[in-house]
Amino acid sequence: MTGARGVLADALGGQRRAVVASTLMVTGHQAGEAAVPFLIGVVIDQAVAGGVGDLALWLGALAVVYLGLSYSYRYGERTGERAAEQAAHELRLRVTRRVLHERGGADADRLPGALVSIATSDATRVGAVAVAVASGVAAVVGLVFAAVLLLSISLPLGLLVLLGTPPLLLLTRLLGKPLEERSETEQEHGAHASGIAADLVAGLRVVKGLRAESAAVARYRQRSRSALAATVRAARAEAAYQGVVLTLSGTFLALIAVLGGILAVRGEISVGQLISSLGLAQFLVGPMSTFGWVGADLAQGRASARRIAAVLDAPVAVAGGGAGPATPARGGLVLHGVQSPPLRGIDLAVAPGEIVGIVATDPAEAAELVRLLGRTRDPAGGSIRLDGVALAALAPAELRTVVLAMEHHTDLFDGTIRAAVSLSGRARPDRVEAAIATAAADEVARSLPDGLETVLDERARSLSGGQRQRIALARALAGDPPVLVLHDPTTAVDAVTEARIAGRLRAMREGRTTVLVTTSPALLAVTDRVVVVRDGVVRTDGTHRDLVAGDGAYRELVLA
């Protein structure tokens, strides 16, 4: 288990050198800032005493300190920001790798937009902890150094700082707990709102087609208002936190200034020392205010680290199995007593090279069957075997070199149509051309200005649903897997084109195992046989022609 602490430790540990370098340089800057008022007091005392040589020496020392603190701040902050950005980048890669992991599970109960929020906003907040740590350590060192300088001026002033700072830091930590809780709630609500917005935009055409714009907007508005309320509560908590910290810091500094004034009136410290004391007291405003935002950043970083850890520690959807499939793969499938709601006990055998249609009366049964065959999840009971080897015993990545299960809802990525179909050049050119022709994707290309070199936008939203389906089908065919499972690949394609695709599909997949989970009569007509699943079990098995002729329920389902 990674846990929030593990996420923070890994983020900082991966940038250890940069964080240490930034801390040292920013600490040097804080020490220089503290030394400046002290040196000014010394210069004033030297000027009053009339020592010209010593005055010039201390003025030179002051100039050197100014030069050092200037460069320390510039390069310290730059190094710290680089560490923060690099840590956030590494976290984004880890989250992305977990989401895309072959065994899945990270996306369970999480909307895509929520995962994007975790990989971006939360990763950035955790990365910012690198800067907060460097600045926090530097502020503590600055306080200690200022206390030492005050001790050299006056024992009471130094003790006041040394004894008063720890309780102040502890109180700051306790005040930051509510902010941490509210920050996590804010991120949760914001991520959920982002997820709904992303899904709404992705399904905009469907929403408009159903005339459900008002319902969709109302759903988003409700979630957005919840996110806004959570953000306002977190902002109020942060404002209250910063205000209380500044008030406590100001009170503490006032005590130092008053005590220094009293000591000067009594003659226990010189004029220069009084000015140094007041300057050091003013310097302490910086470290004290730093504790305010550092505490806020740490609180928010811990909250975001917990959200990232929840994704990284999510249980996999398919556990176990590290073997590879038999080679060469023949493509025989056997399902025995497969149970996975809503499936209640599927028994089915698909011979190598057979083209089988599966008609499910419940769309949920069809979708679940495709997921099981592609092993994006394992059945609760029963077994699925490929060439005699249980799918549960196979490594998902190895299995997917043999079995390609294309779900009904599939995405196309940025790039040209040719790159999308050729799997970025991994498929053989002759298979790509054949796949494009089989899926009638060449007709899509001819309707576009740059043909197959047309660049698709995000998720190919500029294309119609039928055009996207044809390109997605061509992509699946170009991979030429020994076993191909297709779920309703032509629902948005017109009947004439669908019939043409069906005939070509039969020819291209000849000798290769193909499972068509569909109710399309055109596709079912080219299968060797059709299996009907109803109420979670196999009810009928026969050719499409025989079932149409002799099974009224089947005829009504596929021809209605």
Side-chain angles (χ1 to χ4, degrees):
M1 298 296 285
T2 303
R5 290 186 178 180
V7 170
L8 287 170
D10 289 345
L12 295 179
Q15 305 300 317
R16 187 182 300 107
R17 291 184 179 180
V19 172
V20 170
S22 175
T23 300
L24 291 175
M25 285 186 280
V26 177
T27 298
H29 167 260
Q30 286 289 292
E33 289 278 7
V36 166
F38 179 81
L39 291 175
I40 289 176
V42 173
V43 168
I44 291 174
D45 282 341
Q46 292 297 323
V48 171
V52 178
D54 290 338
L55 176 61
L57 178 63
W58 286 108
L59 284 173
L62 184 61
V64 170
V65 169
Y66 263 116
L67 186 64
L69 68 88
S70 174
Y71 276 92
S72 294
Y73 178 79
R74 180 187 304 177
Y75 291 104
E77 287 296 313
R78 182 183 300 177
T79 305
E81 290 294 339
R82 184 187 300 115
E85 292 298 327
Q86 190 63 35
H89 173 68
E90 294 295 335
L91 276 177
R92 281 191 286 272
L93 291 179
R94 288 183 63 189
V95 171
T96 302
R97 281 194 292 265
R98 179 62 192 90
V99 171
L100 298 178
H101 194 274
E102 61 186 29
R103 296 186 181 273
D107 56 344
D109 301 322
R110 293 184 181 90
L111 293 170
L115 291 171
V116 171
S117 176
I118 291 171
T120 54
S121 178
D122 284 312
T124 299
R125 285 189 172 187
V126 173
V129 171
V131 175
V133 167
S135 299
V137 171
V140 170
V141 172
L143 277 174
V144 173
F145 188 53
V148 171
L149 294 177
L150 284 170
L151 279 172
S152 69
I153 296 172
S154 168
L155 182 62
L157 285 174
L159 289 177
L160 178 60
V161 174
L162 287 175
L163 298 178
T165 299
L168 194 62
L169 293 178
L170 178 60
L171 187 58
T172 299
R173 173 72 181 91
L174 294 176
L175 291 173
K177 293 298 292 182
L179 175 61
E180 183 175 339
E181 296 171 0
R182 293 192 177 186
S183 175
E184 185 169 11
T185 303
E186 170 205 353
Q187 287 292 90
E188 288 286 352
H189 282 278
H192 201 173
S194 298
I196 292 176
D199 288 353
L200 177 61
V201 172
L204 193 57
R205 289 187 178 182
V206 176
V207 170
K208 287 184 175 180
L210 296 174
R211 297 182 181 275
E213 296 97 323
S214 58
V217 170
R219 177 170 176 251
Y220 175 72
R221 183 183 291 116
Q222 179 182 7
R223 178 53 61 183
S224 180
R225 285 175 175 171
S226 298
L228 175 62
T231 301
V232 170
R233 286 194 296 271
R236 286 175 177 170
E238 183 174 0
Y241 172 79
Q242 296 280 11
V244 171
V245 169
L246 288 176
T247 300
L248 292 174
S249 301
T251 303
F252 184 57
L253 299 177
L255 289 174
I256 296 174
V258 169
L259 180 58
I262 291 173
L263 293 175
V265 169
R266 292 179 178 176
E268 297 181 19
I269 58 176
S270 66
V271 174
Q273 289 175 326
L274 174 61
I275 293 174
S276 292
S277 300
L278 295 176
L280 286 169
Q282 189 173 4
F283 157 76
L284 291 175
V285 172
M288 292 296 184
S289 62
T290 296
F291 291 140
W293 69 260
V294 164
D297 278 12
L298 290 176
Q300 293 173 346
R302 283 190 294 268
S304 289
R306 278 194 291 270
R307 285 167 46 76
I308 291 175
V311 173
L312 297 179
D313 293 337
V316 295
V318 287
T327 54
R330 297 174 60 245
L333 289 171
V334 176
L335 287 74
H336 178 68
V338 172
Q339 299 177 24
S340 182
L343 303 178
R344 298 191 297 110
I346 296 290
D347 292 303
L348 172 65
V350 180
E354 190 176 20
I355 299 179
V356 174
I358 297 180
V359 174
T361 57
D362 183 354
E365 294 174 344
E368 184 65 12
L369 191 56
V370 173
R371 285 191 286 265
L372 293 176
L373 290 174
R375 210 192 169 204
T376 57
R377 71 176 61 176
D378 288 328
S383 65
I384 304 175
R385 292 183 173 274
L386 171 66
D387 295 335
V389 181
L391 259 60
L394 300 176
E398 296 289 336
L399 170 66
R400 287 163 195 157
T401 63
V402 176
V403 179
L404 172 59
M406 189 180 86
E407 297 187 24
H408 177 54
H409 297 288
T410 185
D411 290 324
L412 298 174
F413 303 106
D414 297 350
T416 65
I417 294 178
R418 187 184 298 279
V421 174
S422 68
L423 305 173
S424 299
R426 293 195 299 275
R428 289 187 356 229
D430 60 323
R431 299 299 303 179
V432 172
E433 296 300 329
I436 290 173
T438 299
D442 51 349
E443 298 177 8
V444 177
R446 284 196 295 270
S447 68
L448 298 172
D450 297 320
L452 292 175
E453 304 308 319
T454 299
V455 177
L456 302 173
D457 58 7
E458 184 182 3
R459 294 189 180 182
R461 291 196 181 97
S462 59
L463 302 180
S464 69
Q467 290 174 323
R468 286 198 298 272
Q469 276 194 335
R470 281 187 267 180
I471 294 172
L473 176 58
R475 179 178 62 185
L477 292 170
D480 194 29
V483 179
L484 177 62
V485 182
L486 300 174
H487 183 198
D488 282 331
T490 56
T491 52
V493 178
D494 65 87
V496 174
T497 304
E498 185 179 34
R500 189 162 59 249
I501 290 173
R504 294 172 180 173
L505 177 63
R506 170 83 197 193
M508 185 170 186
R509 291 295 299 173
E510 191 69 38
R512 297 283 205 178
T513 304
T514 307
V515 178
L516 300 174
V517 184
T518 183
T519 57
S520 164
L523 293 176
L524 293 171
V526 302
T527 61
D528 296 317
R529 62 190 174 97
V530 177
V531 175
V532 179
V533 176
R534 184 184 298 112
D535 298 327
V537 297
V538 174
R539 298 292 185 181
T540 312
D541 188 337
T543 66
H544 173 66
R545 181 187 296 273
D546 291 343
L547 290 174
V548 168
D551 190 325
Y554 176 84
R555 185 168 55 249
E556 181 179 353
L557 181 62
V558 302
L559 298 181

